[in-house]
Amino acid sequence: MEIMENCIFCKIKDKQIPSFEIWSDDKFYAFLDINPISPGHTLLIPKQHVDYLFDIDEKQYSELFMTARKLAPMLKRGTGAKRIGIIVEGFLVPHAHIHLVPLNQGNQLNPANAKPMDKTELAKIAERIKNVL
Ligand SMILES: [Zn+2]
């Protein structure tokens, strides 16, 4: 599997950098954003390093979005949110990632609303989401 030196998300999925994991399999890794737009804001990444989402091969691209679909109900139940929104921008970290953001109202899905969350709180939310499984 290709690993990119100095890629923070490659280091996170390899557990060289700690993260609040909520789910993973052999191809994908999901963990809490430490600067969430809302509680439970999750980043879903392919374990293989690819910078741009639309450069991912077709099969893995489909699997990535099927994984997002699988995680959404878990996030919804774990956070009590009404819906789960998706954002893909990809300017901050050059490793493809989907933001899955629990939402309760319109116009909440705004990256400008992201703010740092306390690690104790993140750990609690991660546990709550994982326990939904
Ligand atoms: Zn990477």
Side-chain angles (χ1 to χ4, degrees):
M1 192 168 288
E2 190 186 344
I3 289 172
M4 185 78 169
E5 289 287 323
N6 299 320
C7 169
I8 188 168
F9 285 176
C10 282
K11 287 182 179 168
I12 283 175
K13 60 103 176 144
D14 287 338
K15 313 241 164 124
Q16 291 171 33
I17 294 176
S19 66
F20 297 95
E21 177 181 346
I22 60 156
W23 179 90
S24 69
D25 69 3
D26 55 335
K27 289 182 185 161
F28 304 103
Y29 189 83
F31 58 103
L32 293 182
D33 193 318
I34 57 169
N35 296 299
I37 292 173
S38 66
H41 178 169
T42 293
L43 300 174
L44 171 63
I45 63 170
K47 287 188 169 176
Q48 187 178 5
H49 181 90
V50 177
D51 174 352
Y52 186 41
L53 181 76
F54 297 117
D55 287 336
I56 295 173
D57 71 66
E58 255 178 42
K59 183 169 178 281
Q60 188 161 191
Y61 180 89
S62 308
E63 288 168 351
L64 178 66
F65 277 87
M66 287 307 286
T67 303
R69 182 184 160 122
K70 180 160 81 181
L71 295 179
M74 209 175 128
L75 292 174
K76 200 164 167 284
R77 282 205 301 277
T79 61
K82 288 183 182 151
R83 288 179 180 245
I84 302 301
I86 281 186
I87 310 177
V88 177
E89 287 186 319
F91 288 100
L92 284 180
V93 178
H95 182 132
H97 54 286
I98 297 179
H99 295 260
L100 297 169
V101 186
L103 301 173
N104 287 304
Q105 61 191 48
N107 296 320
Q108 203 183 349
L109 194 58
N110 181 354
N113 295 336
K115 47 180 184 289
M117 184 177 263
D118 181 76
K119 287 196 162 39
T120 321
E121 188 64 19
L122 286 163
K124 252 189 261 170
I125 293 167
E127 279 315 302
R128 216 183 298 143
I129 294 168
K130 281 192 285 189
N131 286 336
V132 166
L133 277 182

